[in-house]
Amino acid sequence: MLSDLEKAKLLFEKGNFKAATKGALVLWRQEKTEELANFLGLLSDQQAMVEKKETERRKWRRESEWYHKTALKINPKSYEAYVGLGRLFMHRNKLTKAIYYYRKALYINPNFHHAQNGLGNVYQRINRPSLAMRWYKKALEKAPQRSIVMANISRLQARQGEKNSAKSSAARALILLKREKRERSWLTVDLESELKKIKKTGLVGF
């Protein structure tokens, strides 16, 4: 039987952020834990990304930052909290801060693939392809779900005009996606659709 937190995470995977947040907040009132704080930080960040009103986006971003920093108060060595902050500031396009927090996570846990993949994403955004690829390759060695990292490599290659490499990486990512047998969540469906386009054309939207 799934725990209440697992149920909330399943709702998140299905893209039902509001229901997931509601369930997580009930648990938060009962017990404030590092894991729950980071989950609520992630949820708030995702809410900000889908919110249309700027005032609401800012509210969700403030909440996301507060939850991740609360996780650090509970456990100052919470590398997942630092990754959450890195992700949040990357989404806010404050890339220097994003790099700082991702590196803080790696200082605590040098093999944490989410931080390595996050750095790859930041360096891809600032057009440092060689650095981005270096971090993606590190993440590829450690990540249990390698399809996400391979998809990022495919995007990077497409943006560099390396069409054949991008097609090949997209094909590998699709194979990995099937092998991982991930639940067909909103993220998986969107990723699969994007990879099929890259596999066919070698191009990616900016």
Side-chain angles (χ1 to χ4, degrees):
M1 182 179 290
L2 294 175
S3 69
D4 288 339
L5 180 54
E6 287 170 333
K7 288 176 183 176
K9 288 184 176 181
L10 188 59
L11 287 167
F12 167 76
E13 285 294 326
K14 291 180 177 178
N16 194 341
F17 303 143
K18 288 185 178 179
T21 301
K22 184 178 179 180
L25 283 172
V26 170
L27 296 172
W28 181 251
R29 293 185 193 104
Q30 296 170 3
E31 186 180 8
K32 293 172 174 57
T33 67
E34 174 195 347
E35 181 182 11
L36 200 50
N38 282 323
F39 181 49
L40 280 162
L42 172 62
L43 280 167
S44 299
D45 185 28
Q46 291 298 322
Q47 292 269 31
M49 290 183 69
V50 300
E51 180 57 58
K52 293 179 181 178
K53 294 180 180 179
E54 180 58 31
T55 53
E56 289 297 305
R57 277 201 297 271
R58 285 199 293 266
K59 179 182 79 71
W60 285 115
R61 285 167 177 165
R62 284 195 300 270
E63 288 197 12
S64 178
E65 186 173 357
W66 184 85
Y67 279 119
H68 286 308
K69 287 184 175 179
T70 298
L72 286 168
K73 288 180 181 178
I74 297 169
N75 176 15
K77 292 186 177 181
S78 176
Y79 49 86
E80 290 185 344
Y82 282 122
V83 164
L85 288 165
R87 186 188 304 112
L88 171 65
F89 282 103
M90 183 181 71
H91 291 159
R92 292 172 63 182
N93 210 34
K94 294 187 176 182
L95 303 181
T96 301
K97 276 193 171 183
I99 291 170
Y100 169 78
Y101 283 120
Y102 281 135
R103 287 191 177 277
K104 287 280 283 187
L106 288 171
Y107 179 78
I108 298 167
N109 183 351
N111 295 319
F112 194 43
H113 61 278
H114 287 303
Q116 294 166 336
N117 185 59
L119 278 172
N121 289 338
V122 174
Y123 285 122
Q124 183 170 177
R125 282 198 180 198
I126 61 177
N127 198 27
R128 298 286 300 277
S130 59
L131 270 176
M133 184 63 78
R134 189 181 89 182
W135 285 108
Y136 286 145
K137 286 181 176 179
K138 284 178 178 288
L140 206 57
E141 294 173 2
K142 309 294 181 184
Q145 294 178 331
R146 297 168 64 232
S147 60
I148 300 295
V149 184
M150 186 55 67
N152 286 331
I153 289 174
S154 178
R155 293 184 187 109
L156 175 64
Q157 291 167 331
R159 286 174 176 144
Q160 293 303 306
E162 301 170 11
K163 289 186 179 182
N164 290 335
S165 295
K167 289 178 182 180
S168 176
S169 295
R172 284 183 65 192
L174 284 165
I175 291 169
L176 288 167
L177 200 61
K178 289 179 181 178
R179 283 181 184 169
E180 288 162 9
K181 296 180 180 178
R182 301 183 70 203
E183 183 175 345
R184 290 189 64 78
S185 66
W186 59 278
L187 175 62
T188 305
V189 172
D190 289 348
L191 180 62
E192 188 175 37
S193 176
E194 182 185 6
L195 286 169
K196 284 179 179 178
K197 289 177 183 176
I198 299 174
K199 181 183 175 183
K200 184 177 180 180
T201 65
L203 300 172
V204 65
F206 284 85

